[in-house]
Amino acid sequence: MALDRLLNVARKEFSDHITSRRFVIILGLLLVISTISIYDGIENYNNSLEAYTEQLRQMEEFDDPYRNWMPPQKPSIMYVFISMMSYMTMLGGILAIAIGFDLVSKEKETRSLKTLLSHPVYRDEIINGKALGGGIAALGFAMALALAVAIAMLLLFSVVPTAEEFAAILVFGGAVSLGFLLAYFAVALMMSTVAKESGNALIYTLVIFFAVSSLLPMFGGAMAANAFAGDPPEPPEMGPMPKEVVRVASSGGYFTSSVSQSVVYGGTEDPEWKAYEEEMKTYVEKQRLISDISNLLSPQMNYYTVAIAVTNPQLSSMIASPYGAATEEATGLAGALGRVWMNIAALIVFPSAFFAATYVKFMRMDIR
């Protein structure tokens, strides 16, 4: 059956990867650094928990009247995984590239691809099996080990996650981080199919990795936003200060004005400044929209955005609505994921597009 042949190819690719020296070395390095980051995160979590307990004790001791409407926030154990994000973007990306950059090009160099196709197996089964066993299964195995080590360390330090926190850990490692790794695996697999040699495939993949991970977020978003949004609106010229304001200032009062606040004359808003504020707000929103669209092309930016929403929903809510009130629904896991649905979709679309291109290229490739 076709499914049996597909699984046989996937099983072979998975076995070859997890037993290869390259995979073991990079995986071991990833686990060691992840363990160090988890240890630092646990220490920071314990310090935050002690500060939270002390703050509660002081509020009860001094009978703080504001504790009912502004209680301190209890730290979540998801803070432990925040430091893991930076290591995952670098070492995780390298691991994904190391797995995929020679999956097809090595077969072409050793001329084993032609021999493989002489067996009762079809091209689509080969490329799908390589993607399933050599990419999804191998990277899933790596993330499962990293999560197992993290959870074991939490239990070792007597930190027991709640049901919601355990679900967030699985979402962070099993969905978000794995989706990020598959993005660069898809790029490496595509370059391995296009290039004739593994060395060229590795160079092409690293160029794309550097472009979308560093250059695009650093220059692309800001430059595109400034180019399409145009020049910012000019503030109106300030006229002479009214006598009423001078009288208030001379009597010991104070008067402030800025480009972000309306200038008040005699208790009424200046219409020119009010119009300027509206234009500036529209300009900033347009600039942010263009920047966000540009950042959707970078797996790094999407991973950071979604990972922060999972590990620190309150911070994600403040970034999305800096002037809005943070409700319990807004700072929950479901609400945080709902705000970053575009970034989640981008993490799915990015590898899917490269997988589709790889499939088409491999099906039409001349192997003579």
Side-chain angles (χ1 to χ4, degrees), residues 27 33 59 78 99 107 110 124 138 159-160 164 170 175 185-186 275 279 291 320 326 343 347:
L27 176 60
I33 296 182
M59 292 178 66
M78 292 306 299
I99 290 178
E107 301 275 6
T110 59
D124 59 336
V159 180
V160 181
E164 184 178 359
L170 294 181
F185 169 77
E279 294 177 1
S291 179
N343 303 95
L347 281 177

Side-chain angles (χ1 to χ4, degrees), residues 1-8 121-122 124-125:
M1 296 178 61
L3 181 59
D4 293 336
R5 294 192 295 267
L6 172 63
L7 294 179
N8 287 334
V121 62
Y122 297 99
D124 59 336
E125 296 166 352

Side-chain angles (χ1 to χ4, degrees), residues 52-84:
Y52 166 79
T53 305
E54 179 65 19
Q55 188 175 3
L56 283 182
R57 187 190 64 80
Q58 292 180 357
M59 292 178 66
E60 293 178 357
E61 180 179 352
F62 293 100
D63 194 18
D64 193 339
Y66 300 104
R67 67 174 181 267
N68 293 328
W69 64 274
M70 195 175 63
Q73 182 189 9
K74 183 179 180 180
S76 171
I77 65 171
M78 292 306 299
Y79 294 172
V80 173
F81 295 88
I82 293 179
S83 59
M84 191 177 177

Side-chain angles (χ1 to χ4, degrees), residues 156-232:
L156 183 63
F157 284 90
S158 301
V159 180
V160 181
T162 63
E164 184 178 359
E165 290 170 339
F166 187 75
I169 293 174
L170 294 181
V171 171
F172 170 76
V176 181
S177 298
L178 182 59
F180 168 74
L181 298 182
L182 289 178
Y184 285 114
F185 169 77
V187 175
L189 183 60
M190 175 62 186
M191 294 300 104
S192 178
T193 307
V194 172
K196 296 181 179 180
E197 299 178 355
S198 299
N200 292 335
L202 179 60
I203 294 175
Y204 299 155
T205 305
L206 291 177
V207 169
I208 296 177
F209 175 77
F210 178 72
V212 300
S213 64
S214 300
L215 295 181
L216 184 62
M218 189 179 302
F219 300 107
M223 294 178 62
N226 293 332
F228 287 96
D231 297 329

Side-chain angles (χ1 to χ4, degrees), residues 133-290:
I136 299 176
L139 293 175
F141 174 75
M143 281 307 308
L145 285 181
L147 285 182
V149 171
I151 294 175
M153 290 190 63
L154 289 176
L155 298 178
L156 183 63
F157 284 90
S158 301
V159 180
V160 181
T162 63
E164 184 178 359
E165 290 170 339
F166 187 75
I169 293 174
L170 294 181
V171 171
F172 170 76
V176 181
S177 298
L178 182 59
F180 168 74
L181 298 182
L182 289 178
Y184 285 114
F185 169 77
V187 175
L189 183 60
M190 175 62 186
M191 294 300 104
S192 178
T193 307
V194 172
K196 296 181 179 180
E197 299 178 355
S198 299
N200 292 335
L202 179 60
I203 294 175
Y204 299 155
T205 305
L206 291 177
V207 169
I208 296 177
F209 175 77
F210 178 72
V212 300
S213 64
S214 300
L215 295 181
L216 184 62
M218 189 179 302
F219 300 107
M223 294 178 62
N226 293 332
F228 287 96
D231 297 329
E234 294 291 337
E237 296 182 359
M238 295 184 60
M241 186 176 296
K243 295 181 179 179
E244 292 80 0
V245 176
V246 176
R247 190 179 303 114
V248 170
S250 62
S251 61
Y254 64 93
F255 175 78
T256 59
S257 64
S258 65
V259 296
S260 61
Q261 295 179 338
S262 297
V263 178
V264 180
Y265 293 99
T268 60
E269 294 183 348
D270 182 14
E272 294 185 359
W273 275 95
K274 187 176 180 62
Y276 167 72
E277 282 188 355
E278 294 296 329
E279 294 177 1
M280 194 64 184
K281 182 179 179 181
T282 303
Y283 173 79
V284 171
E285 291 178 351
K286 182 188 299 185
Q287 198 176 37
R288 180 176 180 178
L289 176 62
I290 297 172

